[in-house]
Amino acid sequence: MTATAHASAMEFEAIYVLQVVQIPPNRPNIRIDHPHRIYTHKEAKLKALMQEISSVHATGRPILIGTSSVEESDMLAEAIAFAGVPCHVLNAKNDAKEAEIIAKAGEVGAVTVSTNMAGRGVDIRLGGGNPTQAEVVAKLGGLYVIGTHVNESMRIDDQLRGRSGRQGDPGDSVFFVSLEDELLLRLGINKVIRAHKQDEALEEPMLRSKSCIFSALLWAKTSISTRN
């Protein structure tokens, strides 16, 4: 059993001759999964990412940030700390403190930077398990999940989203993507969407007129997953 098997249903059937069946959740999922924010270059993405973290943190809402590697998590945590926002790092280098960090990741004002694998499958409780704090965090919108990139496997993206909005809790998720990200360069998405460098995110009409990055990326990721 896994909550993210549906994205790989074709793969399970082709390789293992197994069908995937979705079981309704115990409570309705009210998490809001926002459209990806697409930027023309990495510097613009990082700038927007830092602005988003600072503005959300100022409200007291807890934030979980998913990164691609230990190196990226360390670099981003350093940049966040330099901006005056205290944060915790959850990666393979500090697994002894993993339970303690996760226990506090849903507290008011918490900012947690994590790799894809760290803490996967663990329930991050709003307010850190404190009922009074949980009500405060819920009113703030719940846990806010930010992805700094998209992965080859949609299941990994879904696993990050799934840290928020569990058991009917409120929450939000959003991915920040750059046309210079390694995966998009490898898939040739930058050739599908040609745009001059700009600091603002690409507008949705532009994406639609450029063959839609989401459809192209979805097809490419599904193709890679099936081949592997």
Side-chain angles (χ1 to χ4, degrees):
M1 294 185 67
T2 173
T4 57
H6 189 262
S8 300
M10 294 176 61
E11 184 178 351
F12 278 116
E13 184 173 4
I15 298 176
Y16 304 106
V17 197
L18 291 174
Q19 292 185 329
V20 174
V21 177
Q22 283 187 295
I23 300 174
N26 180 46
R27 296 176 181 174
N29 179 10
I30 61 173
R31 183 187 68 243
I32 301 173
D33 297 322
H34 298 276
H36 295 358
R37 299 187 190 177
I38 314 295
Y39 295 86
T40 56
H41 55 294
K42 289 183 178 180
E43 290 80 5
K45 181 182 80 169
L46 180 59
K47 180 180 178 181
L49 180 62
M50 293 301 298
Q51 289 175 342
E52 184 77 356
I53 293 169
S54 295
S55 62
V56 174
H57 173 69
T59 69
R61 187 178 186 183
I63 306 170
L64 175 67
I65 307 160
T67 65
S68 61
S69 65
V70 171
E71 291 75 19
E72 185 190 1
S73 66
D74 286 339
M75 181 204 72
L76 185 58
E78 190 174 313
I80 293 172
F82 184 78
V85 177
C87 67
H88 296 284
V89 181
L90 183 62
N91 60 35
K93 295 200 303 183
N94 54 21
D95 55 346
K97 297 182 179 180
E98 186 169 297
E100 179 183 350
I101 294 173
I102 292 175
K104 297 179 179 180
E107 292 182 350
V108 173
V111 177
T112 307
V113 182
S114 171
T115 57
N116 288 327
M117 296 300 294
R120 190 170 66 177
V122 178
D123 189 12
I124 297 177
R125 301 177 67 187
L126 299 188
N130 182 307
T132 303
Q133 262 210 38
E135 289 185 18
V136 173
V137 174
K139 289 180 180 179
L140 291 171
L143 182 65
Y144 188 50
V145 169
I146 300 176
T148 65
H149 64 290
V150 289
N151 296 276
E152 287 186 5
S153 171
M154 292 180 63
R155 291 183 64 190
I156 298 178
D157 293 346
D158 289 342
Q159 284 164 355
L160 177 59
R161 290 189 183 97
R163 305 278 62 78
S164 176
R166 299 169 76 88
Q167 292 296 321
D169 287 339
D172 289 78
S173 75
V174 65
F175 285 80
F176 282 69
V177 182
S178 160
L179 295 181
E180 294 181 343
D181 288 352
E182 189 274 335
L183 177 60
L184 271 67
L185 289 175
R186 181 148 50 89
L187 297 176
I189 301 299
N190 59 317
K191 297 178 181 178
V192 176
I193 301 176
R194 298 183 182 276
H196 296 293
K197 279 191 174 183
Q198 62 183 54
D199 289 336
E200 299 78 20
L202 295 176
E203 297 293 335
E204 188 64 26
M206 176 183 288
L207 298 178
R208 284 198 296 265
S209 67
K210 297 290 185 178
S211 302
C212 188
I213 187 173
F214 302 117
S215 296
L217 187 56
L218 174 62
W219 177 87
K221 288 167 68 176
T222 303
S223 179
I224 290 174
S225 177
T226 303
R227 290 199 305 270
N228 292 340

